[in-house]
Amino acid sequence: MSADPIPLEETLVTEREQWQDGPPHELFKQLRSECPVHFTSKITEYPEEDGFWSVTTADDVHEVSRDWQTYSSANGITALRHSIIPLELIQAMFIGMDPPKHDRLKALFQRGFTPKRIAEHEEAIREITIGVLDRLEGRETADLVGDVAQPVVARVIGSFMGISPEDDVIWARLMNQTLGAGDPDMNPEGVESVMQRDIPEIFERCRKLIEERRANPTEDLTSVLVHAEVDGSKLEEHEIVMGFFLLMAAGNDSTKATYCSAMRALIENPDQRRLLLDDPALVPAAVEEALRMFPAFAHFARTATRDTELNGTTIREGDKVVMWYVSSNRDETRFEDPERFDVRRNPEHQAFGAGGRHFCLGTALARLELRILIEETLKRFPDMELAGRPEYAESPFINQLKRLPVKLNA
C-alpha cells in the first residue's frame, strides 16, 4: 500500500529524493500552476539552514532578478546560505555582493568577456575541442562527461586564468568536489571535507599564483584580480582567491553541464539531430534550446531586505528567496510544449539569470564553447548512441550529468 501523497504546501523542494534523476520537473509544473511562490519549511540534511521561498514562474524570477534593492545577493546566493562554504567567503565574490561594489568588481572583467573579444578565441577553443576528440580515436565507447566535456572546459577556462595545462585535472577536481559537495560520487567524503580539505587547498594553490602575478603581471584574468583596484584599494587575498574560484567554478561547470545534456537530448531525439546534421547553421539555435531546457545551475537565491509581496504572497525581511531556473525555463506561459527539445525554437530563456545586475558575465564564452563542442562532436560522431544509463549529480544546485556513457560509432 503506497503512502498518501504529501500535500503541496508541505512539500520540501530540495529533499534529496526529489533530485535522484535530475530536477523534479513534474513537481515544478504543479508549483507553477497551483503555488507559484511556495514555502519549503526546512532542508532536512542541513538543519542549521532556514526554510526558503521557491519562485517558479518566468515572470516572478524576472522580477526578483531585477530588483536588487529588495532581493539582495549579499547574504547568500544559494538555498544553502552557509552550510558548505562560510558566508564571509561567498560575500568575497562579486556574485555575493550588491551594487555598487558588485558593479565595480564585475566591470573589471566585462571588457574581456564582450562578444567581440570572446570571438577572438574561437580558433583556440576549436583546437582544444578537436584535440580532446582526437583522444577518442579507435575507441568504441566513452563517457562524454569525463572524456570530452571536462577536459575541454578545464583547458578553456584554464587558458583564460593563466593555469598550466598539467594543472587542469587538479583544478577540475577541486571545483567538482566543492560544487558537487552533496553528491556521494563527486565528493565521497561529504560536505565537511570542503572546508577541511578543498578550500584550504584552493587557497594554498592560489597563493602561489598570486605571488607569481604580483612579481610578473600577465594578460590573464588571475593577473587582473591581483592588480585590480576597487575604490582605490587593491583586493584582499581572500577576495582574490574567491574571485578566482568564482571564475573557475563557472567556467568548469556551466558549459560541461549544458553540453552533456544537449548531446543526450540529440541522441534521444534523432529527428532533431538529423536537422543539425543536415543544416549546421541551426547549431546556435540548438544551443539556446539546450540552455533553456538544461540550465547549468538549477537555482540562485536572494534574501529579502524588507517585507514585500510577490505574486500575491507576503515575503518577510530576511527570508530566503530561491529562483528556480529549471522551472522558469519550462514555464508554459512562455514556451509552447516546454518539455519538447526543439532545435528550431531558438528561445529567450533564463539560463544566464533573468536580467538585472547579476546577469552572467560569461554568456558569450558559454555560447561559443557550446556551439563548437556540438559542431565538432556531431561532425566526428554523427551516429553516437547511449551505452548505458546517464546519471545525474544529486544536487538541487548544479544541474548536470555526472556520467553519460556513449557508443561513439553506433
Side-chain angles (χ1 to χ4, degrees):
M1 199 171 123
S2 62
D4 292 336
I6 296 167
L8 199 56
E9 62 274 14
E10 291 171 30
T11 297
L12 304 175
V13 174
T14 45
E15 296 302 281
R16 186 177 290 269
E17 60 268 21
Q18 309 268 25
W19 295 82
Q20 295 292 311
D21 197 27
H25 291 299
E26 281 304 311
L27 171 61
F28 282 126
K29 185 179 182 178
Q30 195 184 355
L31 289 172
R32 286 192 299 274
S33 67
E34 295 174 37
C35 185
V37 181
H38 169 277
F39 192 69
T40 287
S41 59
K42 63 178 181 175
I43 306 172
T44 306
E45 284 186 48
Y46 302 94
E48 311 278 295
E49 292 281 351
D50 297 328
F52 59 88
W53 293 100
S54 283
V55 183
T56 58
T57 68
D59 286 347
D60 290 346
V61 167
H62 181 76
E63 184 177 332
V64 172
S65 281
R66 297 182 73 82
D67 184 359
W68 61 266
Q69 288 100 332
T70 306
Y71 301 101
S72 166
S73 298
N75 198 25
I77 55 169
T78 70
L80 297 180
R81 196 173 268 164
H82 51 70
S83 291
I84 294 175
I85 299 176
L87 187 57
E88 60 268 28
L89 290 184
I90 291 165
Q91 290 167 330
M93 303 185 272
F94 58 81
I95 198 173
M97 299 173 185
D98 288 329
K101 189 171 183 181
H102 163 273
D103 297 0
R104 290 174 194 145
L105 200 47
K106 191 175 180 180
L108 296 170
F109 300 99
Q110 216 105 41
R111 293 189 299 275
F113 282 93
T114 63
K116 187 171 180 292
R117 287 292 295 275
I118 291 300
E120 294 165 7
H121 297 273
E122 174 158 0
E123 203 177 310
I125 294 171
R126 201 173 290 278
E127 206 172 289
I128 289 166
T129 305
I130 290 169
V132 168
L133 290 169
D134 281 345
R135 295 181 210 159
L136 301 179
E137 212 47 63
R139 285 177 55 175
E140 281 181 28
T141 59
D143 169 22
L144 279 196
V145 181
D147 293 331
V148 178
Q150 185 65 76
V152 170
V153 299
R155 180 72 317 248
V156 171
I157 194 61
S159 67
F160 274 73
M161 301 305 294
I163 289 166
S164 59
E166 56 269 24
D167 288 341
D168 286 352
V169 172
I170 293 166
W171 284 108
R173 169 179 60 78
L174 286 166
M175 296 303 129
N176 290 335
Q177 284 171 182
T178 305
L179 293 189
D183 181 278
D185 291 327
M186 295 174 83
N187 193 345
E189 290 175 45
V191 294
E192 297 76 22
S193 65
V194 171
M195 281 313 296
Q196 291 164 3
R197 177 197 65 198
D198 301 328
I199 296 293
E201 185 178 345
I202 288 166
F203 267 79
E204 194 46 50
R205 290 180 180 280
C206 268
R207 278 192 191 107
K208 291 178 185 150
L209 290 169
I210 291 166
E211 280 168 26
E212 286 166 17
R213 297 305 184 279
R214 280 205 176 116
N216 301 299
T218 59
E219 293 294 303
D220 60 51
L221 295 180
T222 304
S223 207
V224 172
L225 275 164
V226 169
H227 296 280
E229 287 195 7
V230 178
D231 302 332
S233 303
K234 289 262 200 310
L235 299 179
E236 293 176 40
E237 184 183 83
H238 75 287
E239 293 178 312
I240 297 172
V241 173
M242 293 313 289
F244 177 92
F245 174 83
L246 172 63
L247 293 165
M248 286 293 288
N252 182 69
D253 273 69
S254 50
T255 306
K256 177 178 74 176
T258 301
Y259 160 74
C260 291
S261 288
M263 289 309 302
R264 177 188 183 178
L266 290 169
I267 292 168
E268 291 177 343
N269 297 275
D271 59 319
Q272 299 299 307
R273 177 167 61 179
R274 176 45 54 198
L275 288 170
L276 299 189
L277 290 168
D278 290 346
D279 182 7
L282 279 173
V283 171
V287 165
E288 299 309 313
E289 177 69 338
L291 286 162
R292 177 187 77 80
M293 286 198 80
F294 316 114
F297 298 101
H299 79 269
F300 276 109
R302 303 283 185 265
T303 303
T305 58
R306 57 184 177 86
D307 289 0
T308 187
E309 193 173 285
L310 181 67
N311 200 344
T313 300
T314 301
I315 290 170
R316 300 283 176 208
E317 179 184 343
D319 284 359
K320 266 190 285 195
V321 179
V322 172
M323 299 173 286
W324 289 107
Y325 310 120
V326 287
S327 175
S328 65
N329 274 337
R330 299 189 185 208
D331 186 334
E332 299 77 2
T333 66
R334 288 278 178 102
F335 309 105
E336 196 182 322
D337 197 2
E339 302 298 325
R340 189 180 85 247
F341 183 73
D342 178 359
V343 300
R344 286 181 291 200
R345 193 193 300 263
N346 202 11
E348 283 188 25
H349 53 73
Q350 297 180 339
F352 297 122
R357 299 300 235 281
H358 286 276
F359 194 72
C360 173
L361 179 73
T363 50
L365 177 58
R367 285 182 164 123
L368 179 61
E369 279 186 86
L370 286 167
R371 176 166 67 77
I372 291 170
L373 271 160
I374 292 170
E375 283 171 356
E376 295 299 334
T377 309
L378 289 178
K379 205 183 288 181
R380 189 79 63 106
F381 304 111
D383 304 313
M384 188 185 280
E385 279 180 10
L386 293 181
R389 196 173 72 81
E391 285 179 53
Y392 267 96
E394 285 180 32
S395 168
F397 177 54
I398 54 169
N399 179 31
Q400 60 177 262
L401 292 162
K402 57 186 174 184
R403 272 189 278 278
L404 182 57
V406 294
K407 201 169 166 190
L408 295 168
N409 297 294

